[in-house]
Amino acid sequence: MTAWTRWVAFWNRREQADALAMIRISVALVVLWDFGTVARLGLVRALWAPIEAGGIGPSTRAAPISVVYEWIGASAGSAWLLFGICCLCALSLCIGFFTRVSAFALCLGWAQFAQLSPDADRGIDTLLRNALVVLCCSSAGATASLDARLRHGRWFTDIRVPAWPRYVLVLQLVLLYFWAGLVKQSPPWTAIDGYSALYITLNQPHYATFDLSPQQLAAIYPLLQLATFMTVCFERLAPAVPVLLWLRATADRGGRLRELSNRLHLLEVWVMLGIVFHLGLAAGLELGMFPWGCLALYPALCAPETLRRWLKAAQNRFAPAEPTRAVA
Amino acid sequence: MSFANAWPTLRAVAISVALALQLASAIPVRPLRAGGMSNPEGVRLVSWLQRMFSAVGVHRSQAEWTGSLIRASESVVALRNAAFAPFAPWFHYTQTGQQWPLFINPNRECFRLLVEARKPPRRRRERDWVLLYRAADVDRGRLSSMLRYRRLRGIYNASAKRGPHADYEGFASWLAGHLLAHHSKYASVRVSMERLAIGTPGSEPKSLGVEHVVVRQRSAIR
């Protein structure tokens, strides 16, 4: 078998759609939560309407900077229409109704928001749009979806779908973390400034969730240094993840390195570091949907068989015990 | 060969191209600059290169290494941009990409948003500005949940080095309009940024003064 045929065979693998469905639902929920926050705070007009209609952004009626504004006119009504379409697409993606179309339409609509207010569009928006492009090419709606119910008469199916979208999402996570880790070369992320990045960030009033006193911050300073160091390690070790996944998937082949890696649960250690890292960010910093958006892609790191095994174990653990029959 | 037979190969080719494109998209969009290379991290990188290559007998000065790195990065970025040109519409309309500068440079100087309002100046006392909001501190105007939302912060949060974003003035106008619509007693709103210097653990951040002051009068608000 040549390298190319192995490469073709790798991208031709199939598996159950559980992990992709989980990603689909998680991403859609995170997006809905974020859009819900915009609506709750009354910021739709401010963020995306033209300046003349009460918006902040650079778009004006005279020079519309998005396709939507060129087509239907630059107004607050257009911003609300676009917002409504995006919310509907996110909802539709969540329930798995016209999954591929919903994912792509949401990506395009969301991209219009990015053009209307570039500074309001953050890294997490780009990350989730990347994920939507992958989801629209995937069979993420093959299970746990209205599409599955309409096509097969049941909500959950065992249909095997192409696995490559999950692999691509794993690579997306790897690229995200490795890139972010590699460019963290400024002194606060290194020994030059004593790994002070998190201490500095927690001192920034625009980001810190809690208004900690200087004494409280000084008390936890060593922990913050350790967390900064661990963050850099976690991010720069991301390229090892595909290798660890491969070592896990081929556990039956044996070999000292494979056995050691699997025995030490290195993959689980990395994933747990990631979860703790994001939960820490969610607790300590006001980053909105950033931690949750990243975590929404984590099911990609889990093979569907593993997900099913966990689900079954959880069902066995929490299922009510069979009542003992009285013997007559 | 039927299409069904050819499909796995076609798909593998398409995925390979997409992955290559995404990797190229991860290459920084700006080349290295002489100013950046004089930062501690730039100096450290050059000294690493110098030590590594001198170990194998290649001896070059720091300035030579810096110049080579800048020229190499310019070539790589030019190549990236040229390779990207045919796919630019896709990236434009989907706003996707692989640039992840997440908290790359937490600066020891940062800003704190201040929002103040003033009544019509009938009496001397009323000419004073009333502090309505100071980030992570005062919130008399009930603005906290709105101003701490990530998208809005992305608009007003000024960089300690580069200053405020392009939409900062628009943000100040919008915020003034919002406040004056909800508080009829005020005649003007002042939005500004207090520069803070973050010191060593145990010390209070020190105020370095107020910058980027924008004042909006009720009469000027649409």
Side-chain angles (χ1 to χ4, degrees):
Chain A
M1 213 182 206
T2 64
W4 175 249
T5 44
R6 276 205 298 270
W7 181 250
V8 172
F10 175 76
W11 294 112
N12 199 30
R13 286 184 187 174
R14 298 178 87 82
E15 64 184 17
Q16 285 137 348
D18 305 29
L20 284 169
M22 263 183 89
I23 296 168
R24 183 199 90 222
I25 295 167
S26 316
V27 166
L29 284 175
V30 168
V31 174
L32 280 170
W33 173 54
D34 187 57
F35 285 168
T37 307
V38 174
R40 180 174 59 80
L41 296 172
L43 290 174
V44 174
R45 180 191 288 256
L47 288 171
W48 298 307
I51 291 170
E52 302 91 331
I56 300 170
S59 183
T60 65
R61 287 199 186 94
I65 56 167
S66 85
V67 176
V68 167
Y69 275 14
E70 275 176 17
W71 286 351
I72 59 173
S75 67
S78 305
W80 271 106
L81 180 67
L82 183 61
F83 181 74
I85 290 171
C86 284
C87 287
L88 269 181
C89 289
L91 187 65
S92 172
L93 181 71
C94 186
I95 60 171
F97 184 56
F98 285 103
T99 309
R100 288 171 191 249
V101 178
S102 301
F104 196 56
L106 176 57
C107 177
L108 292 181
W110 199 349
Q112 292 295 302
F113 286 149
Q115 288 173 3
L116 287 170
S117 195
D119 291 332
D121 197 74
R122 318 305 297 165
I124 188 61
D125 299 88
T126 308
L127 176 72
L128 294 184
R129 279 195 296 270
N130 288 355
L132 287 175
V133 170
V134 178
L135 286 177
C136 89
C137 300
S138 77
S139 299
T143 189
S145 68
L146 193 55
D147 283 342
R149 179 86 174 94
L150 294 173
R151 195 168 299 164
H152 306 287
R154 56 187 197 275
W155 294 99
F156 298 96
T157 68
D158 285 327
I159 295 168
R160 295 179 75 80
V161 300
W164 69 263
R166 185 170 73 81
Y167 301 158
V168 170
L169 288 172
V170 171
L171 293 179
Q172 172 62 82
L173 280 174
V174 169
L175 198 57
L176 164 79
Y177 288 128
F178 187 58
W179 207 105
L182 207 61
V183 294
K184 283 189 172 84
Q185 299 288 346
S186 62
W189 288 106
T190 65
I192 296 175
D193 197 17
Y195 292 100
S196 59
L198 284 179
Y199 164 76
I200 292 174
T201 310
L202 283 176
N203 262 295
Q204 299 196 350
H206 291 170
Y207 287 100
T209 305
F210 306 107
D211 187 17
L212 297 176
S213 69
Q215 290 73 31
Q216 287 168 323
L217 279 168
I220 58 168
Y221 186 62
L223 276 178
L224 296 176
Q225 285 179 298
L226 178 67
T228 305
F229 178 73
M230 293 301 287
T231 301
V232 176
C233 290
F234 163 75
E235 291 185 335
R236 290 184 191 164
L237 283 173
V241 170
V243 179
L244 294 176
L245 283 167
W246 176 70
L247 293 176
R248 174 59 51 85
T250 56
D252 53 340
R253 286 192 202 172
R256 228 178 298 169
L257 178 68
R258 187 176 275 108
E259 277 172 18
L260 185 70
S261 150
N262 289 334
R263 196 163 352 112
L264 293 177
H265 297 287
L266 294 181
L267 182 62
E268 285 84 350
V269 169
W270 189 88
V271 172
M272 280 313 294
L273 266 179
I275 292 172
V276 170
F277 166 64
H278 286 299
L279 293 181
L281 285 181
L285 297 172
E286 299 252 359
L287 298 179
M289 70 167 176
F290 174 77
W292 310 111
C294 292
L295 287 175
L297 302 185
Y298 271 43
L301 297 164
C302 201
E305 300 80 45
T306 314
L307 279 177
R308 289 198 169 197
R309 211 170 46 240
W310 286 351
L311 189 67
K312 201 160 188 179
Q315 275 173 344
N316 289 342
R317 192 180 171 88
F318 296 111
E322 290 262 325
T324 23
R325 283 197 191 149
V327 181
Chain B
M1 187 189 252
S2 69
F3 180 75
N5 287 339
W7 174 237
T9 309
L10 290 174
R11 181 167 56 193
V13 170
I15 292 171
S16 307
V17 171
L19 290 181
L21 205 60
Q22 294 298 323
L23 279 176
S25 161
I27 295 171
V29 287
R30 280 192 294 269
L32 297 172
R33 282 167 295 190
M37 294 304 287
S38 61
N39 289 340
E41 54 269 33
V43 171
R44 192 178 53 163
L45 173 68
V46 170
S47 79
W48 276 350
L49 283 173
Q50 211 179 9
R51 278 201 304 253
M52 208 164 67
F53 279 89
S54 65
V56 289
V58 180
H59 301 286
R60 299 175 73 183
S61 69
Q62 288 229 342
E64 283 174 322
W65 272 117
T66 305
S68 302
L69 280 175
I70 290 173
R71 280 192 299 279
S73 77
E74 283 167 351
S75 307
V76 170
V77 169
L79 191 69
R80 172 207 188 270
N81 293 342
F84 246 54
F87 303 98
W90 167 261
F91 288 98
H92 174 73
Y93 288 113
T94 57
Q95 290 286 310
T96 50
Q98 299 292 347
Q99 299 285 314
W100 308 112
L102 309 171
F103 277 104
I104 53 174
N105 193 8
N107 210 302
R108 283 212 176 250
E109 280 189 16
C110 66
F111 282 111
R112 171 154 66 181
L113 179 68
L114 303 178
V115 182
E116 296 153 297
R118 190 163 63 175
K119 290 177 182 173
R122 286 193 202 106
R123 292 193 295 270
R124 173 171 286 277
R125 198 174 156 273
E126 288 178 349
R127 283 180 212 153
D128 295 337
W129 289 100
V130 178
L131 182 65
L132 295 183
Y133 179 79
R134 182 162 57 205
D137 187 12
V138 176
D139 185 23
R140 288 194 198 100
R142 290 186 183 171
L143 297 169
S144 179
S145 57
M146 198 164 65
L147 292 175
R148 293 179 79 78
Y149 177 55
R150 66 182 186 98
R151 289 183 190 274
L152 216 49
R153 182 183 53 213
I155 293 172
Y156 71 74
N157 191 28
S159 156
K161 283 182 185 162
R162 295 184 301 276
H165 293 289
D167 295 336
Y168 178 69
E169 294 261 337
F171 162 77
S173 299
W174 166 81
L175 186 59
H178 174 84
L179 276 169
L180 293 175
H182 288 84
H183 301 274
S184 55
K185 60 185 175 183
Y186 295 124
S188 45
V189 168
R190 183 165 73 179
V191 177
S192 56
M193 288 281 172
E194 182 184 13
R195 188 182 282 269
L196 298 176
I198 298 165
T200 50
S203 62
E204 281 278 0
K206 192 175 145 198
S207 175
L208 300 177
V210 172
E211 300 173 27
H212 313 301
V213 181
V214 180
V215 178
R216 293 285 183 263
Q217 309 289 342
R218 183 179 287 280
S219 54
I221 298 290
R222 285 185 296 272

